[in-house]
Amino acid sequence: MKPIENKKTVVIAVANHKGGCGKTTTVVNLAAELAKMDLSVLVIDLDPQANASLHIGKKHPSEVPVTCAELLLSDVEKLPQSIYDDTYIEGVSLIYGSLNLGKAEDELKDEVPRPSEELREKIKNLHGIYDVILIDCPPSLKLLTSNALAAATHLIIPIESGSQYGMYGVTDLMKLVEKIKRINPGLELIGALLIRHDARQTVCKLIEASAKELIGKLIDVRISTSTKVNQSAMAQTSVHDIDRTCKVSREFKRLADVIAKQLNLV
């Protein structure tokens, strides 16, 4: 893998320590839509549950010799072995997650001098190779999420708009972001992404107002509730490939268009 001279690589962490808020759905479908723009895309699955890997990977994470866990704890020479170009979504490469990430997190804390910066060190050689690297974060504010934020150039915060608990703990996340900016001052917030949003519902209106106040920036796209999302996960593909005409598919396409334009990717 040789970097392309002057090629800009955007590293987007998709983070929120609330479970079930659409992190993996966002990563997978945004990756698919960006790849359709002829951009080279890598997904890094930093979640021990490995849902992104189970969604788009052709191997089970337990069968993969070098997952993100092994990469974090080894020398950078293992980086090429950790990248799988053959996935269920054309144009999207994958570094698998695994249950071992929980153990890796503990080992990083005990054995590495700068434990929050290990992922950044491991993937710095990928800058200039991929157009976009998307990091799927675990539902926690511990060391794995810190590593993602330290390695990222940009951040998306998915918020479950249709839940009264959608903003739970967001203040803590924003505090972590400010803390990580001490070691990664260039980290830029793209914005909060409202998921399962229905503008007719009072709870969604309240969550939207709270997100704007606490996070400060909303992405100008709303992702609706749709059974197509679960169907695509079961079929191990993107919503676009399940039904390109459905509303949620068009929303993810618009999300990719907005981000690509904002970050000068196209």
Side-chain angles (χ1 to χ4, degrees):
M1 296 182 292
K2 274 192 173 183
I4 298 171
E5 197 173 345
N6 298 324
K7 183 172 184 173
K8 175 188 174 185
T9 298
V10 169
V11 183
I12 303 172
V14 180
N16 185 336
H17 63 300
K18 185 182 178 301
C21 64
K23 289 185 291 292
T24 299
T25 298
T26 300
V27 166
V28 168
N29 288 285
L30 180 56
E33 292 298 339
L34 290 170
K36 282 179 169 54
M37 298 178 184
D38 291 327
L39 295 169
S40 53
V41 182
L42 171 68
V43 168
I44 298 178
D45 189 351
L46 207 56
D47 186 350
Q49 295 176 57
N51 288 331
S53 303
L54 293 167
H55 190 147
I56 69 171
K58 290 189 174 181
K59 294 176 178 287
H60 191 276
S62 63
E63 302 168 341
V64 176
V66 182
T67 68
C68 208
E70 287 74 33
L71 178 63
L72 284 171
L73 295 173
S74 64
D75 294 328
V76 74
E77 284 74 18
K78 282 202 172 178
L79 179 62
Q81 300 168 50
S82 71
I83 299 171
Y84 287 77
D85 296 324
D86 187 21
T87 70
Y88 283 117
I89 298 185
E90 189 177 349
V92 177
S93 300
L94 173 67
I95 296 180
Y96 280 79
S98 80
L99 280 171
N100 290 335
L101 276 164
K103 181 182 170 188
E105 188 170 46
D106 293 334
E107 289 190 37
L108 283 176
K109 196 186 325 176
D110 295 337
E111 298 176 18
V112 176
R114 301 172 80 170
S116 292
E117 299 175 52
E118 220 35 44
L119 181 64
R120 179 164 70 182
E121 284 301 303
K122 293 297 164 41
I123 68 169
K124 66 183 180 182
N125 290 336
L126 297 178
H127 283 258
I129 292 174
Y130 292 96
D131 294 301
V132 185
I133 298 173
L134 288 161
I135 307 175
D136 190 15
C137 296
S140 88
L141 290 182
K142 294 182 183 177
L143 201 48
L144 292 174
T145 297
S146 294
N147 265 268
L149 295 175
T153 59
H154 294 81
L155 169 64
I156 293 173
I157 302 173
I159 300 289
E160 188 182 6
S161 179
S163 165
Q164 67 265 42
Y165 307 113
M167 293 298 293
Y168 177 76
V170 165
T171 303
D172 294 330
L173 173 60
M174 298 311 291
K175 284 179 183 173
L176 177 62
V177 169
E178 288 308 308
K179 184 179 171 185
I180 291 296
K181 280 187 176 182
R182 295 176 203 163
I183 58 174
N184 184 14
L187 179 63
E188 291 182 35
L189 174 66
I190 295 175
L193 175 66
L194 298 178
I195 305 275
R196 303 185 189 102
H197 185 75
D198 183 344
R200 298 167 298 181
Q201 292 188 14
T202 301
V203 65
C204 291
K205 292 174 185 174
L206 291 171
I207 292 290
E208 182 171 359
S210 295
K212 191 167 186 181
E213 182 182 348
L214 284 175
I215 297 170
K217 253 174 143 178
L218 294 183
I219 298 174
D220 190 24
V221 179
R222 309 288 183 264
I223 306 297
S224 308
T225 301
S226 174
T227 58
K228 303 290 183 184
V229 170
N230 286 337
Q231 287 175 30
S232 68
M234 290 175 68
Q236 293 183 292
T237 188
S238 65
V239 174
H240 179 278
D241 287 343
I242 288 288
D243 183 356
R244 71 184 64 189
T245 64
C246 74
K247 185 179 181 184
V248 75
S249 175
R250 287 183 275 115
E251 289 164 346
F252 276 118
K253 183 181 186 310
R254 183 155 177 263
L255 175 65
D257 289 339
V258 166
I259 288 173
K261 185 175 179 182
Q262 183 177 332
L263 303 185
N264 298 314
L265 289 166
V266 290

